[in-house]
Amino acid sequence: MHFVKTKGILSSQNGMNLYRGCSHGCIYCDSRSKCYHMEHAFEDIEIKENAIDLLEHALKHKRKKCMIGTGGMTDPYIPLEMEIKHVRKALDLIYQYGFGFTVITKSNRILRDIDLLQKINEKTKCVVQMTLTTYDENLCRKIEPNVCTTRERFEVLKQLRDAGIPTVVWLTPILPFINDTEDNISGILDMCVEADVYGMICFGMGLTLREGNREYFYAQLDRLFPHLKEKYIQMYGNQYIIESPNNNRLMQLFCQKCSENGIIHNNEQIFLYLQTFEEKGSGRQLTLWD
């Protein structure tokens, strides 16, 4: 790890990255792409040492309340968070200043902060987004090696449900010839139904590959799934969007099962929900663009 000072913490869309880099080791990670200009080794976590001071300044001076988000580029619940506690400090500020909060994670470390998540949700709105890709536990450990498994994430979703905190699941990426099966999609959907998730985000059955993450992904295929890299190259070349041959059938299964169980699966509707700030008891809803 290494420390840096940064000039700002909130993006124009009110998102923040408290860390840069990740130690989860997911073989498909798009954040490794060169277009993000990460000038250090991906596993050498960059810690923004002045992030909390910058966040407090930003929240103090915002003219209108809004949702604050994190986790889009780097999962904030990496092991270092348990030592640095940037997320917990940020949550405390978000609660104090009356903002809403949403986070994307794969980690059950988020349960450390369930008390603050509940307090934010009682006052405004808190939504936890959890990525699920692989129902089979052994396969999950191969493609997402240094983070809790899908079964453990499912337990997190159920605890959040019981705490009254709404959840959204990202069903992405689905890797051709690895986890693009009906059993995999059905198993994850059954978990989401039981956990009573609000919505599921899915951009289709496949993944994206570009310079930086493509090379890493192919190296992991060579290590874990011998000869599969050659099949990818033959079928997809250097395409950015890698669509599963089973996309149409699996998307039909996904949409049907979500509809039958009242799970929102319109991506635009879910993103609007995530961006919409609500004050409990006031009847007021403000979107990102207010």
Side-chain angles (χ1 to χ4, degrees):
M1 67 176 179
H2 63 281
F3 291 86
V4 299
K5 286 195 173 181
T6 187
K7 293 181 179 179
I9 194 62
L10 286 183
S11 72
S12 60
Q13 303 295 304
N14 299 307
M16 61 181 176
N17 287 303
L18 300 166
Y19 307 106
R20 291 194 81 203
C22 187
S23 53
H24 288 348
C26 304
I27 70 171
Y28 50 73
C29 183
D30 177 70
S31 294
R32 292 180 181 272
S33 299
K34 287 192 175 179
C35 63
Y36 298 121
H37 305 291
M38 199 170 293
E39 306 300 334
H40 56 87
F42 195 70
E43 290 78 11
D44 177 17
I45 309 300
E46 179 180 286
I47 301 168
K48 299 178 181 180
E49 60 181 321
N50 58 336
I52 302 306
D53 290 338
L54 289 173
L55 178 61
E56 182 163 23
H57 182 269
L59 296 181
K60 273 183 179 178
H61 292 88
K62 271 199 170 291
R63 290 171 48 243
K64 293 183 179 178
K65 298 291 194 291
C66 62
M67 297 292 289
I68 305 296
T70 191
M73 275 289 295
T74 295
D75 191 325
Y77 283 102
I78 52 178
L80 270 175
E81 164 58 20
M82 307 308 280
E83 172 189 345
I84 305 298
K85 299 182 179 176
H86 265 4
V87 181
R88 186 157 183 90
K89 293 171 187 175
L91 285 172
D92 190 50
L93 288 175
I94 289 165
Y95 172 69
Q96 286 182 39
Y97 287 97
F99 285 78
F101 180 71
T102 185
V103 58
I104 307 172
T105 186
K106 291 187 179 87
S107 176
N108 57 2
R109 295 184 188 94
I110 193 172
L111 292 177
R112 179 202 63 183
D113 296 331
I114 197 167
D115 58 331
L116 281 171
L117 299 174
Q118 278 185 289
K119 288 169 72 174
I120 293 169
N121 194 53
E122 288 165 1
K123 190 175 184 179
T124 59
K125 183 168 78 178
C126 176
V127 186
V128 174
Q129 304 170 63
M130 183 73 71
T131 301
L132 303 181
T133 68
T134 310
Y135 182 72
D136 181 272
E137 291 288 274
N138 291 326
L139 183 57
C140 180
R141 290 186 183 97
K142 290 177 74 172
I143 67 176
E144 299 166 347
N146 304 324
V147 68
C148 66
T149 65
T150 299
R151 180 67 55 179
E152 291 169 308
R153 290 174 230 170
F154 173 48
E155 294 302 319
V156 173
L157 289 170
K158 289 192 293 183
Q159 289 193 50
L160 294 168
R161 173 202 65 195
D162 294 344
I165 298 168
T167 55
V168 167
V169 164
W170 288 68
L171 184 64
T172 183
I174 301 300
L175 311 178
F177 318 113
I178 296 175
N179 61 353
D180 60 337
T181 65
E182 288 192 20
D183 285 347
N184 184 54
I185 302 305
S186 290
I188 293 172
L189 286 165
D190 287 342
M191 287 180 167
C192 292
V193 171
E194 184 175 342
D196 194 24
V197 304
Y198 169 85
M200 295 185 71
I201 293 171
C202 181
F203 299 100
M205 302 297 166
L207 76 157
T208 57
L209 292 177
R210 50 189 162 188
E211 187 180 6
N213 80 314
R214 177 184 287 110
E215 291 78 4
Y216 184 82
F217 178 67
Y218 281 168
Q220 300 312 305
L221 290 188
D222 278 340
R223 183 173 65 87
L224 299 168
F225 306 98
H227 311 301
L228 187 54
K229 177 183 76 175
E230 287 73 22
K231 190 172 184 177
Y232 267 75
I233 293 171
Q234 182 180 11
M235 285 193 65
Y236 302 112
N238 286 326
Q239 289 177 211
Y240 170 54
I241 297 176
I242 309 298
E243 183 178 274
S244 164
N246 302 324
N247 177 70
N248 291 342
R249 176 165 50 88
L250 295 178
M251 284 303 295
Q252 183 177 7
L253 171 64
F254 168 74
C255 293
Q256 180 180 344
K257 202 152 189 175
C258 284
S259 295
E260 290 173 351
N261 291 279
I263 297 175
I264 306 298
H265 55 288
N266 179 299
N267 290 346
E268 289 186 9
Q269 184 178 350
I270 296 172
F271 287 132
L272 180 59
Y273 170 73
L274 293 171
Q275 294 162 349
T276 301
F277 174 77
E278 301 175 20
E279 285 185 309
K280 299 293 172 68
S282 71
R284 293 178 65 235
Q285 294 187 357
L286 298 175
T287 70
L288 180 71
W289 302 282
D290 285 327

